[in-house]
């Protein structure tokens, strides 16, 4: 986590909390060490809202689609924040190695298993890369449900599920295990949609 990240967090958090009032559930189970944070992705605001509702020193890194880094000013800011790109639609070995390094260093990595914005569960299958990241580094996976499309001043609930360790038979997951674990984290994410902290 960069010094620039901490500065931006301090400035942006109060603004985001005002624009998108959130209640957070489940942080008491948040892992103290490295973890793969897996969230649904219904809005472009999701990574910002999740990041700014975690503690400032949560050692968070975010994986983002590479097209964002080609936007001159935005790309510069993302790099300064410690965010790294991933190419969609294929195996990005550079992104995978970066993810392994982040997780291996005891940090938290936020990813969106569906790989794109999705309005409803079932529209897109989870990408198998999340399984590889978790099983190769031995970190727990944490399902996160971050509401639907975020609108200004509309209440949102962010739910952090209990961490769990995916189990595989060998040193590396088989294709079937890969798909099953990726689907499992997606099921766990959407199961959290039943929680409403505003009741």
């Amino acid at each position: 986590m960069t010094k620039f990240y901490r500065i931006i967090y301090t400035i942006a958090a109060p603004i985001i909390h005002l624009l998108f009032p959130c209640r957070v559930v489940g942080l008491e189970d948040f892992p103290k060490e490295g973890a793969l944070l897996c969230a649904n992705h219904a809005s472009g605001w999701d990574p910002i809202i999740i990041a700014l509702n975690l503690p400032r020193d949560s050692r968070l890194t975010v994986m983002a689609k590479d097209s964002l880094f080609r936007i001159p000013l935005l790309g510069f800011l993302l790099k300064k924040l410690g965010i790294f790109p991933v190419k969609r639609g294929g195996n990005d070995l550079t992104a995978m190695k970066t993810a392994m390094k982040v997780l291996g260093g005891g940090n938290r990595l936020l990813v969106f298993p569906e790989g794109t914005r999705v309005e409803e569960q079932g529209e897109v299958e989870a990408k198998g890369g999340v399984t590889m990241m978790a099983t190769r580094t031995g970190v727990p996976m944490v399902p996160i449900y971050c509401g639907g499309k975020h609108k200004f001043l509309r209440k949102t609930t962010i739910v952090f599920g209990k961490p769990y360790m995916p189990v595989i038979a060998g040193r590396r997951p088989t294709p079937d295990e890969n798909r099953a674990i990726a689907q499992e984290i997606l099921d766990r994410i959407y199961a959290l949609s039943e929680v409403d902290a505003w009741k």
Side-chain angles (χ1 to χ4, degrees):
M1 183 176 292
T2 66
K3 182 179 180 181
F4 184 72
Y5 180 98
R6 293 186 178 92
I7 294 172
I8 294 299
Y9 182 105
T10 303
I11 296 170
I15 299 171
I16 292 298
H17 293 162
L18 177 64
L19 295 177
F20 301 102
C22 291
R23 291 233 177 129
V24 180
V25 179
L27 272 183
E28 64 273 9
D29 296 316
F30 199 64
K32 293 182 173 58
E33 300 298 331
L36 184 62
L37 312 184
C38 302
N40 68 305
H41 195 17
S43 167
W45 289 101
D46 292 328
I48 298 170
I49 290 174
I50 293 171
L52 295 180
N53 278 279
L54 285 171
R56 189 181 68 167
D57 294 319
S58 58
R59 304 194 313 278
L60 179 68
T61 302
V62 182
M63 178 187 285
K65 61 182 180 182
D66 64 331
S67 59
L68 295 176
F69 291 79
R70 293 195 289 269
I71 303 172
L73 179 58
L74 179 59
F76 171 78
L77 290 173
L78 292 176
K79 289 177 182 178
K80 290 286 286 183
L81 289 168
I83 298 169
F84 68 93
V86 60
K87 296 176 183 177
R88 298 198 298 184
N91 295 323
D92 188 338
L93 294 179
T94 299
M96 186 64 69
K97 289 178 181 178
T98 302
M100 301 290 186
K101 183 177 180 181
V102 168
L103 294 169
N107 300 297
R108 286 84 176 224
L109 175 62
L110 174 62
V111 299
F112 299 95
E114 292 156 312
T116 188
R117 276 179 272 183
V118 176
E119 291 189 8
E120 295 183 8
Q121 180 181 6
E123 289 183 6
V124 177
E125 292 184 354
K127 309 303 180 188
V130 292
T131 303
M132 302 296 288
M133 293 177 206
T135 55
R136 289 193 184 184
T137 58
V139 302
M141 303 175 84
V142 180
I144 304 171
Y145 185 75
C146 188
K149 289 186 176 181
H150 307 294
K151 295 184 179 180
F152 293 137
L153 305 180
R154 176 177 289 184
K155 297 175 181 178
T156 296
T157 295
I158 304 176
V159 187
F160 290 84
K162 292 186 180 298
Y164 85 103
M165 298 292 296
V167 177
I168 57 175
R171 291 180 61 248
R172 295 187 178 183
T174 65
D176 286 342
E177 288 175 328
N178 215 23
R179 286 189 293 270
I181 293 170
Q183 185 58 48
E184 172 70 13
I185 189 63
L186 211 55
D187 291 342
R188 288 178 180 241
I189 289 169
Y190 282 103
L192 300 173
S193 65
E194 302 298 323
V195 179
D196 185 356
W198 293 91
K199 289 182 178 178

